Amino acid sequence: FRYAALDGTRQIINSFQDYEGEPLYSFFISEKTNRTAFVDHASGRRKLSNISVEEGKWQNVQLHVNGSTAIYYINSRMALNISGVDFSTGQFVLGTETTNAHFSDIYAINSDRQKKIYEVTQDPCQLQKVGDATLGQGRIKLVAGKSATINQPFRIRQLFDFA
């Protein structure tokens, strides 16, 4: 993925979570301190490294996973090499910490070299909490990880968040 941190602490977070939303591993990039950090949430293991990035410019980040080894690259330079990780079951999450940022070129390539592309088409910071939608006589409450197919006219009573 690529990102440009716009303001604030300029901290980018790339984490890997189980399907319940519990973080397993987190990779932090801090432009202000020119450091990266990797945290294994189960064991408490941490690994730090120094990097050199131009604050406020577009940065390219790559994660290469081979078996139980993960290597993070920032702008084509190795930032961290981590062994003993398991990315076999879960989901990746991109985010920020007290930072506004643009993300682009988000994609994954599997071992068969198949590329899956993802897009951020609207700023999720402008959206609000998931709410209730009125369906005829009844209501449906959409919460994280849930979905619904609606085959009739409906009206959203409050803003909602897809992030």
Side-chain angles (χ1 to χ4, degrees):
F1 66 92
R2 290 179 37 162
Y3 78 89
L6 304 176
D7 59 16
T9 61
R10 298 187 185 276
Q11 291 189 44
I12 305 299
I13 304 167
N14 174 218
S15 63
F16 186 72
Q17 302 176 345
D18 65 18
Y19 288 118
E20 305 299 316
E22 293 296 318
L24 301 172
Y25 310 108
S26 294
F27 176 66
F28 299 90
I29 303 167
S30 175
E31 287 186 6
K32 286 199 178 273
T33 63
N34 275 318
R35 294 186 59 108
T36 64
F38 176 85
V39 177
D40 180 335
H41 294 279
S43 70
R45 174 177 58 144
R46 297 172 187 270
K47 190 169 184 179
L48 304 172
S49 73
N50 294 317
I51 57 169
S52 178
V53 294
E54 259 190 274
E55 193 174 313
K57 302 287 185 186
W58 280 98
Q59 313 296 335
N60 295 300
V61 179
Q62 294 181 342
L63 167 61
H64 294 228
V65 177
N66 188 2
S68 64
T69 301
I71 302 172
Y72 284 92
Y73 295 89
I74 300 174
N75 299 326
S76 300
R77 294 183 310 255
M78 186 172 68
L80 280 173
N81 186 338
I82 310 295
S83 59
V85 294
D86 180 7
F87 289 106
S88 63
T89 305
Q91 55 198 358
F92 283 97
V93 177
L94 289 177
T96 64
E97 188 168 301
T98 58
T99 301
N100 288 316
H102 288 298
F103 290 93
S104 72
D105 300 335
I106 302 168
Y107 62 88
I109 301 175
N110 67 16
S111 58
D112 295 328
R113 306 295 298 161
Q114 295 171 324
K115 184 175 184 178
K116 297 185 188 280
I117 301 170
Y118 305 88
E119 291 183 8
V120 178
T121 58
Q122 192 166 357
D123 181 1
C125 295
Q126 293 180 353
L127 303 174
Q128 303 293 317
K129 177 185 171 209
V130 173
D132 294 338
T134 302
L135 298 177
Q137 297 296 326
R139 301 180 136 213
I140 183 168
K141 184 173 183 176
L142 302 176
V143 296
K146 302 293 181 186
S147 64
T149 302
I150 301 169
N151 294 317
Q152 64 187 45
F154 69 95
R155 185 181 68 194
I156 297 173
R157 288 190 168 170
Q158 67 189 65
L159 297 175
F160 63 95
D161 186 353
F162 69 86

